[in-house]
Amino acid sequence: MHLMNADLHCHSNVSDGTLTPEALATRAHAQGVELWSLTDHDELAGQQRAREAALALGIDYLAGTEISVTFINQTVHIIGLGINPQDAALLAGLAATRGGRRERALQMAAELARVGVPDTFEGALRYVGNPDLISRTHFARYMVEAGVCSDTHSVFRNYLTQGNPGYVPHQWARLGDAVRWIVGAGGVAVIAHPARYRFSANEEYALFTEFIAHGGRGVEVVTGSHSLNDQIRYAQTALEFGLLASRGSDFHSPGESRTELGKLPDLPGTLTPVWQALAHRVQRAAGAAASAPAST
Ligand code: AMP
Ligand code: MN
Ligand code: MN
Ligand code: MN
């Protein structure tokens, strides 16, 4: 089987990335990506631009999004791939999911001011590309600029996360709702970066079994935040639960993201890639307008 350079997870400045959808497409092309999906958090506003830019460069495209979900008091991310970006129920669900972000951001700023970090709401807003989508990442970028921490990873180690200043608990979408919005829009639902969650074994089992019961079909095995051990572990999970496997960098920004677009290990050959089940949903480039450099 031909090993496809598929990158099915990344973010533009329509959510918390720093590049435009067009610049991401150009970067994906330069890195030899053959099948791409832009998966902005809780938002589809970049989809048409990403698709058009990808097809013009000769890259096949799958419409995508990454939905914020609350499951057993933790935030879990569910990726939808191959969705119809005009689906009314999906659009309404995403609008409701991102609805509380401004209020949450104001509370985060108030908490940070209490520990001596002022003006973070205004500061974060200067990094926001989409006023509907102010995220912790924008706070982190401003706090680096303000000299509070040396890089965004250290912001998340010391602030904005559970148990640290500036963390504001938030109720995101329900797991079953997110999966149904994706499936109803013709897509496949995928559990994003499972190694990042802090569930007990029983809670993780509940996540996977409930996800499947609601119609979820995939899990991210190879992704920017997974170690080799995580890949091995979740390849096994995919086989145990009969799930399709996905591959995506979770690229956000040059210099900030650990993983470059398309620069990931291949999926283990024992797994069924999620794109096999989505062949009918891929927007195909008519014929490469420019040839991609050979992937290394
Ligand atoms: P939000 O949706 O506002 O809660 O922000 C979540 C985003 O913050 C994620 O999508 C990541 O881009 C970023 N993030 C969360 N935790 C970390 C972390 N530990 N290190 C770096 N980025 C993180
Ligand atoms: Mn993000
Ligand atoms: Mn995520
Ligand atoms: Mn992501």
Side-chain angles (χ1 to χ4, degrees), residues 9-11 16 39-41 66 77 79 192-193 196 220 223 249-252:
H9 187 167
C10 70
H11 301 274
D16 62 347
T39 54
D40 278 316
H41 297 285
E66 181 175 21
H77 286 168
I79 292 184
H193 43 61
R196 291 233 319 237
E220 228 173 24
T223 182
S249 59
D250 205 1
F251 181 84
H252 282 72

Side-chain angles (χ1 to χ4, degrees), residues 93-109:
L94 295 180
T97 302
R98 59 178 187 260
R101 279 185 179 269
R102 189 185 161 85
E103 197 52 44
R104 168 193 186 234
L106 287 164
Q107 287 177 36
M108 284 165 51

Side-chain angles (χ1 to χ4, degrees), residues 151-182:
D151 59 50
T152 55
H153 297 291
S154 97
V155 175
F156 282 105
R157 271 195 302 276
N158 296 287
Y159 298 91
L160 309 178
T161 42
Q162 206 154 3
N164 290 316
Y167 178 71
V168 173
H170 193 75
Q171 200 66 32
W172 301 108
R174 291 204 268 186
L175 178 65
D177 289 339
V179 172
R180 279 185 289 279
W181 297 333
I182 292 164

Side-chain angles (χ1 to χ4, degrees), residues 61-235:
Y61 189 73
L62 277 169
T65 186
E66 181 175 21
I67 306 182
S68 311
V69 160
T70 302
F71 185 79
I72 323 184
N73 299 319
Q74 283 195 53
T75 299
V76 166
H77 286 168
I78 302 296
I79 292 184
L81 295 173
I83 47 168
N84 166 13
Q86 266 99 48
D87 184 86
L90 174 62
L91 285 165
L94 295 180
T97 302
R98 59 178 187 260
R101 279 185 179 269
R102 189 185 161 85
E103 197 52 44
R104 168 193 186 234
L106 287 164
Q107 287 177 36
M108 284 165 51
E111 291 286 319
L112 290 167
R114 242 192 296 281
V115 298
V117 186
D119 304 325
T120 53
F121 182 76
E122 296 74 15
L125 270 188
R126 288 199 281 104
Y127 287 85
V128 166
N130 170 0
D132 277 358
L133 218 123
I134 178 163
S135 104
R136 284 185 291 161
T137 315
H138 303 113
F139 277 76
R141 291 190 184 125
Y142 170 69
M143 288 166 73
V144 172
E145 177 199 313
V148 179
C149 291
S150 57
D151 59 50
T152 55
H153 297 291
S154 97
V155 175
F156 282 105
R157 271 195 302 276
N158 296 287
Y159 298 91
L160 309 178
T161 42
Q162 206 154 3
N164 290 316
Y167 178 71
V168 173
H170 193 75
Q171 200 66 32
W172 301 108
R174 291 204 268 186
L175 178 65
D177 289 339
V179 172
R180 279 185 289 279
W181 297 333
I182 292 164
V183 174
V188 168
V190 173
I191 297 176
H193 43 61
R196 291 233 319 237
Y197 311 129
R198 292 290 162 258
F199 290 123
S200 68
N202 281 342
E203 288 169 342
E204 184 178 79
Y205 184 81
L207 170 65
F208 278 83
T209 51
E210 289 190 34
F211 171 74
I212 291 166
H214 288 302
R217 292 178 61 200
V219 61
E220 228 173 24
V221 173
V222 173
T223 182
S225 55
H226 276 189
S227 67
L228 183 57
N229 274 341
D230 296 333
Q231 292 172 33
I232 293 166
R233 170 157 178 219
Y234 288 100

